[in-house]
Structure formats: structure tokens, C-alpha cells
Amino acid sequence: TVRFANGRLRRPDSLHFTVYRNRDAAHPRKRHRRILVSETERLCYVGHNFGSEVMRCNSLCRYFVGVLDKASGQMEVYNAEIFNMQPLLSGGRSWRPRLWNEQWGLYSLGCTGCLDVCFSLAQMDLCIEAFGTSKQKRALSSRRMNAVGNDIVSTAVTKAAANIIDAKGVTALMQDMAQDDVQNISALLPPCHEDADRPEHVYKFEDILSSAEYEALRVPAAALTNITSEEIAKRVEERSHCSFVLEELKFLPADERRRDHKARCLWFLDTLIKFSHLKVIKKKYPMGPECPHIISRKLMKNFTSLTYNNGSIQNLVSASMKAKITAYVIALALHINNFQTDLTVLQNDMKLQESRILDIAKALRLRVSKAKGVPGLENDQSHKLGTLSLPLPVQKAPAGQQKRKKMN
């Protein structure tokens, strides 16, 4: 039984249907796969009982078709499935069985239009997977999580990849990706309140850490709250924390409440920086058992991209996600340091190029100036200082982007 996604047919009795079945009869899943195709005067239609287009009602209910013999008055009952027929928007409507013979057995004729759609979709998916923005990759991964792999599409993807890379070249594709990543920095920043009357309200603390997350930091940050000068010296020698945190531990406030607040902020900032150094997240709690579950969930949900690899879904700290972590690290450092922070120290801790962290700082509307660094750090190099002050600077286009010329 079928239904058509784009409405009802005026003359359904005039349609002829073609059914394909998978040749792999030994495979427990593939042997039940069917493709149903039909053609009207205007459109071709395709329906599947597998993949992302399968109707959920088939898994929740059982359907039967009864065939009544009017002469005997007896009815024979057969198992049935409902196929959702989608219009096939393809350039060609040529119906030939030979392209399907390797994997699909035919009850009657075959359809090459299906392959046309699958192939063009595969080309787009491969481009997104290799060079797409983080938003495109998340959408692609979400769709793939709900889809069953198709061997024909996989073959087409491989060929499409080679054609795309040969046609444009790896260098050009990577340049496009880099330019797109720069343009999307603004989408990775913490919420900016441009109409704020005080610097601390531009990037609100609760937008960086919720009250529940802040409360969860009390236990792991206790070790920093009660740290002694001897323990700080030991941790500096062991490099158990990033340089920014080790330096700030030397200036913890004497007031108990402010000391606890700064310790929590430093613990979370140190965790963010360590998390940014990971690539593929293979553990459920990558930052160890001492990291509260609510913080682990925050890291996985907000600072990783989902990617599809070798048949499984993985969490990846991509380049765009590292830029997002950097933006939140800078925003948190501003709250710690009275809205002025040493960008070079953070750059060294996060292992970034100077141009990268300066782009993010300028996107955050900071004023960047030169300042003498902390003695003994990176050969006492000249440091860049980022300051958040009101009124906010006017946002400028990223470096390397040319303004559009007016058309006369």
C-alpha cells in the first residue's frame, strides 16, 4: 500500500509500480529492503522501506491486505507495508534495470533516476563533511544518525570525492574553508549585550556558567581555594595547570567569598583549555572522574561537533569548536582580570597563532594594545593586551576580506 507525499492522485488506478528487492538474501536486514517506483505523466515517484524516509508507522503497527474471492466468499490475508512515495526531482527519467542488477533483484523494470538523486546528494554530503561549516556538519551528522547506510551511495560518494577534489584542487578547497571559518567566528561568541551600561554586563557571567554549573564547581575548585604558596611552586614545576591559571593562583584574594569565586573560575578556565587540546573524544567523561557530570555534559554539548566516521558517530573538537572555546576562555579571563587580560598568555596556553586569537578578540569587541609580558614567560616577549571597555568599538570585517564595490 502506498501514499503520496505531495497529495492525492486523480487517477490512481492508471499507475504501474515496480518493486526492487536487495539481492543479499543472507543479510538479516538487507534481505527485507524494498524500493518501490512509479511514473505518472508529470513525475516519477520513489519509496523505500529502509533509510531516513521509512515511515515510523511500519515499526509501530502491522498492516495486512485482504483479497476476497467473490465466488467462494473466502478472503486470503497477506502482510503489507506502507510506502511513502516521494516525487523524484531529477533531470533524467530513464527506466533501465542494468544499473541495479549488482545489488537489487528486479520484479519488473528499473529506475536510473534514483541513482541520479543519490549521486548528487552524495556529492553535497562529501563536500560538507570535508569542508563545510560547523552548522552544516551538525545537520549532516544528525541526518546520518537516522539513516541506514546504502552501498550504492557509498560507491557514488567515493567517485564524487575524487571528481570534486580533482576539479577544484585541495588547496582551493582548504582556502574556501578557512575563509568561511573566519566569517563564522561571530556565530561562536558568547551572547553580546551591546546596550550594556557596564563592562561586566556585555558578556554576562551567567551566559558562560549557569548557576547549577557554578555550584557544581565548588568541590573540584576547593583544592585551588586552599592552595599554599609551596603547592603553587610545585604545580608550576610540574606544569599541572596552564600558565594563565598558575600565574593567577599567586594573587588569590584574601576574602573567602571572592577567593572561592576566583578559584572556581580558574578551575573551569583550565578545564576549557585542556579540553581544547583534544581532537576526537572517545570517552564519555574525557576530563576525568573529578570533573562534575554537568560540566562534562556542557563540554560535550556546547564545544564539540558530531561527525560520522567508519559507521559510528564521534564527538570532535574541530577548528570552529576550538575558536568557540577560545572566545569563552577570553570572556571568562576578562571577568577574572577586571576586564583586561593578556591575550598572549592565553594564546600560548591554547597553542594558537597570534593572528587567530587577535581575530577572536576583535570579534569580541576588545581593544588590543601592546604590553610588556610577565618576566620569564616566553623570553619576556612583547605581549598583546585585550581590554573590554565602553563604548564598544565598531565591528570591522575580518582581515583579508575586501569590501564589495558599488555597481554604477
Side-chain angles (χ1 to χ4, degrees), residues 222-234:
L224 299 183
T225 305
N226 303 316
I227 197 168
T228 63
S229 57
E230 291 79 11
E231 290 174 329
I232 293 175
K234 184 179 179 181

Side-chain angles (χ1 to χ4, degrees), residues 2 4 15-20 34-40 43-48 83-86 88 94-96 100 106 108-115:
V2 299
F4 290 84
L15 285 180
H16 296 282
F17 292 89
T18 303
V19 182
Y20 305 84
R34 300 290 186 270
I35 297 176
L36 186 65
V37 297
S38 183
E39 182 177 11
T40 67
L43 288 173
C44 302
Y45 290 88
V46 180
H48 307 77
F83 283 79
N84 188 35
M85 304 299 288
Q86 299 278 356
L88 180 65
S94 172
W95 302 80
R96 292 191 296 239
W100 294 89
L106 311 181
S108 53
L109 298 176
C111 165
T112 61
C114 302
L115 274 182

Side-chain angles (χ1 to χ4, degrees), residues 182 186 359 362-365 393-399 401 403:
V182 168
S186 59
D359 282 341
K362 290 173 183 176
L364 285 166
R365 316 283 284 274
V394 178
Q395 226 167 3
K396 297 180 181 179
Q401 275 190 286
K403 295 183 179 178

Side-chain angles (χ1 to χ4, degrees), residues 49-306:
N49 68 345
F50 63 93
S52 59
E53 296 177 4
V54 67
M55 297 187 66
R56 187 168 294 180
C57 60
N58 284 326
S59 62
L60 300 176
C61 309
R62 289 190 65 184
Y63 294 89
F64 302 92
V65 172
V67 180
L68 177 65
D69 187 336
K70 293 183 179 181
S72 64
Q74 292 184 342
M75 178 181 288
E76 294 186 7
V77 179
Y78 299 90
N79 288 316
E81 288 183 284
I82 296 181
F83 283 79
N84 188 35
M85 304 299 288
Q86 299 278 356
L88 180 65
L89 305 177
S90 175
R93 290 173 60 186
S94 172
W95 302 80
R96 292 191 296 239
R98 60 185 177 83
L99 292 175
W100 294 89
N101 285 345
E102 292 183 5
Q103 187 178 3
W104 300 91
L106 311 181
Y107 290 129
S108 53
L109 298 176
C111 165
T112 61
C114 302
L115 274 182
D116 294 340
V117 170
C118 291
F119 188 79
S120 60
L121 180 62
Q123 285 180 313
M124 186 179 297
D125 285 358
L126 188 77
C127 289
I128 292 173
E129 186 177 24
F131 309 105
T133 64
S134 58
K135 184 176 180 181
Q136 291 169 335
K137 288 179 180 179
R138 285 196 299 271
L140 173 61
S141 298
S142 178
R143 177 160 57 80
R144 282 179 166 175
M145 280 192 291
N146 298 319
V148 179
N150 189 312
D151 293 338
I152 294 177
V153 176
S154 298
T155 303
V157 165
T158 304
K159 293 180 181 179
N163 294 338
I164 293 168
I165 293 173
D166 289 344
K168 192 165 187 180
V170 175
T171 304
L173 288 169
M174 292 304 293
Q175 288 174 350
D176 289 349
M177 175 61 179
Q179 180 65 21
D180 187 63
D181 193 41
V182 168
Q183 293 174 353
N184 284 283
I185 285 179
S186 59
L188 307 173
L189 305 179
C192 179
H193 304 275
E194 296 188 26
D195 56 348
D197 56 349
R198 301 172 65 181
E200 55 265 37
H201 296 156
V202 176
Y203 298 105
K204 294 182 178 179
F205 187 79
E206 52 267 30
D207 291 332
I208 302 172
L209 279 169
S210 69
S211 57
E213 292 160 355
Y214 181 77
E215 178 59 30
L217 293 174
R218 179 176 57 84
V219 174
L224 299 183
T225 305
N226 303 316
I227 197 168
T228 63
S229 57
E230 291 79 11
E231 290 174 329
I232 293 175
K234 184 179 179 181
R235 296 193 184 201
V236 169
E237 186 179 348
E238 296 173 348
R239 295 189 176 182
S240 53
H241 300 292
C242 64
S243 299
F244 180 91
V245 171
L246 290 172
E247 187 62 27
E248 289 300 322
L249 284 174
K250 300 175 183 177
F251 305 102
L252 287 175
D255 178 74
E256 185 177 346
R257 187 182 61 83
R258 293 175 56 212
R259 187 181 184 91
D260 173 65
H261 173 75
K262 186 170 183 178
R264 296 191 201 195
C265 294
L266 290 176
W267 192 93
F268 182 63
L269 185 142
D270 190 61
T271 300
L272 274 178
I273 292 178
K274 289 176 179 176
F275 189 78
S276 73
H277 295 157
L278 304 178
K279 295 189 181 297
V280 178
I281 312 299
K282 298 181 179 179
K283 299 178 181 179
K284 188 175 182 180
Y285 301 109
M287 305 313 295
E290 69 277 2
C291 183
H293 289 184
I294 190 173
I295 300 298
S296 293
R297 288 197 301 270
K298 180 185 182 73
L299 295 175
M300 297 294 282
K301 180 181 178 180
N302 296 339
F303 301 108
T304 66
S305 301
L306 288 176

